[in-house]
Amino acid sequence: MPYFTYDHIRFYYEDDRGDGEPFIFLHGLGGDVNQTFGLMKQTHHIRRISLDFRGHGKTVAFGHVDDFSFKQFAEDVMALTKYLHISQFSIGGISTGAGVSLHLALRYPDSVKKLILLRPAWEDKPQEKLVREAFAKIYDVLQDTDTLTAQNRYENSEVYKTMSSLSSYAGESLLGQFKYPYVKETSMKFVKLPKDCPNDDREAWKNLKLPTLILASQLDPIHPYAYGLLLSEYIPNAQFIEITSKTLSNEQHNHDSYKAIESFLNER
């Protein structure tokens, strides 16, 4: 299995070593490389690269709980690029991965050729109170019981019922966090990351001069459509595309996302 070591942590990554330009595609909170490689199929002229963030997937270790941050995750990605001897690349991500991509593009503009933000979940501040509470509740219920009992408690919580009523997909996504074998050991990520943000000044977004694609959908309280619109208003010449909501069709959502990303990356 492909691993590299950075900050005393063995990070799992995947690299299909395709014949094209490197594209680093980052997963969301509680996800792993299967999320990104599952959506972004192997494609001619695109070299797909992804990693499991610390405390996610096969990268179980995470260091200190304060390392669950956009700054640290971006540094982890840059460590991977150095390990792979890649000096320039396109980068994108889903949800938390979009936030990491945005943070990285702002800090390392000379390294990033194109930027893709798929279902961004942050503005220039922490997530909304309801979303923070929905994730923090996962941490709370896991502290003094087994995972199955914790999941049952979560399903009966008011915050879960509220999120699920707003979007069936949001409810499924939150419950899906309990499937991770190390969810209890890594559960502080559900507290720390929603309280963080990719950057705290939207005016900085105006400094992004690279080609940018923003994809957003309706009916998604964790990834509000308005966030994608806001980013597109501040990032110069950003392309904004509305994609099918996962609440309506997961298959169509993935198809819309893939086609938009493929076309964008292959533009010259």
Side-chain angles (χ1 to χ4, degrees):
M1 289 185 180
Y3 286 90
F4 77 102
T5 300
Y6 170 68
D7 194 27
H8 308 293
I9 292 174
R10 291 181 73 239
F11 286 85
Y12 178 79
Y13 74 95
E14 291 194 10
D15 176 4
D16 70 7
R17 301 191 179 277
D19 61 354
E21 294 289 325
F23 171 47
I24 301 173
F25 196 24
L26 305 172
H27 64 77
L29 180 58
D32 57 28
V33 297
N34 292 313
Q35 182 185 32
T36 46
F37 268 48
L39 187 151
M40 191 64 198
K41 298 174 289 187
Q42 191 168 18
T43 303
H44 195 46
H45 299 313
I46 297 173
R47 175 183 173 183
R48 301 175 303 162
I49 301 168
S50 190
L51 86 164
D52 287 346
F53 290 134
R54 55 178 68 206
H56 290 74
K58 295 184 178 72
T59 309
V60 180
F62 57 84
H64 191 273
V65 293
D66 288 341
D67 293 333
F68 286 130
S69 71
F70 288 99
K71 180 177 184 293
Q72 184 60 62
F73 280 19
E75 290 174 0
D76 297 341
V77 174
M78 289 302 292
L80 174 60
T81 67
K82 291 181 176 64
Y83 176 78
L84 296 176
H85 304 291
I86 297 171
S87 59
Q88 285 194 314
F89 49 87
S90 294
I91 193 165
I94 303 167
S95 188
T96 296
V100 175
S101 299
L102 176 62
H103 180 99
L104 191 150
L106 289 167
R107 285 180 62 198
Y108 304 100
D110 293 337
S111 297
V112 182
K113 299 175 72 173
K114 292 185 177 183
L115 174 64
I116 298 172
L117 307 177
L118 173 53
R119 289 190 292 136
W122 278 262
E123 299 176 297
D124 52 344
K125 57 186 179 182
Q127 289 186 304
E128 295 296 330
K129 183 173 183 289
L130 177 62
V131 178
R132 295 199 313 269
E133 290 178 349
F135 280 111
K137 189 66 175 179
I138 298 175
Y139 169 81
D140 290 341
V141 299
L142 282 164
Q143 293 317 294
D144 59 359
T145 188
D146 62 278
T147 303
L148 181 58
T149 301
Q151 180 174 335
N152 289 335
R153 285 186 188 175
Y154 189 74
E155 287 187 79
N156 288 310
S157 69
E158 289 303 316
V159 69
Y160 168 75
K161 291 177 181 177
T162 299
M163 291 295 289
S164 188
S165 69
L166 291 172
S167 163
S168 59
Y169 161 70
E172 293 167 4
S173 178
L174 290 164
L175 283 184
Q177 304 294 349
F178 291 91
K179 295 179 180 178
Y180 181 47
Y182 304 100
V183 64
K184 186 169 184 174
E185 295 88 338
T186 64
S187 59
M188 271 301 291
K189 64 193 175 193
F190 300 121
V191 176
K192 302 294 286 189
L193 284 163
K195 288 182 178 180
D196 196 16
C197 57
N199 77 304
D200 59 7
D201 180 11
R202 66 187 63 182
E203 291 297 321
W205 302 346
K206 295 178 180 178
N207 297 325
L208 291 169
K209 307 302 182 185
L210 73 171
T212 301
L213 173 66
I214 300 170
L215 305 172
S217 59
Q218 306 276 2
L219 306 174
D220 191 342
I222 299 176
H223 314 90
Y225 183 79
Y227 289 10
L229 283 177
L230 179 68
L231 283 155
S232 71
E233 291 168 2
Y234 276 81
I235 299 176
N237 302 314
Q239 296 183 40
F240 177 84
I241 298 177
E242 179 177 351
I243 52 177
T244 301
S245 169
K246 278 180 167 283
T247 295
L248 299 178
S249 171
N250 186 66
E251 181 179 358
Q252 190 61 45
H253 170 88
N254 288 345
H255 174 79
D256 292 352
S257 302
Y258 169 73
K259 295 305 293 183
I261 293 171
E262 177 196 29
S263 176
F264 178 72
L265 290 176
N266 281 323
E267 286 176 1
R268 300 300 176 191

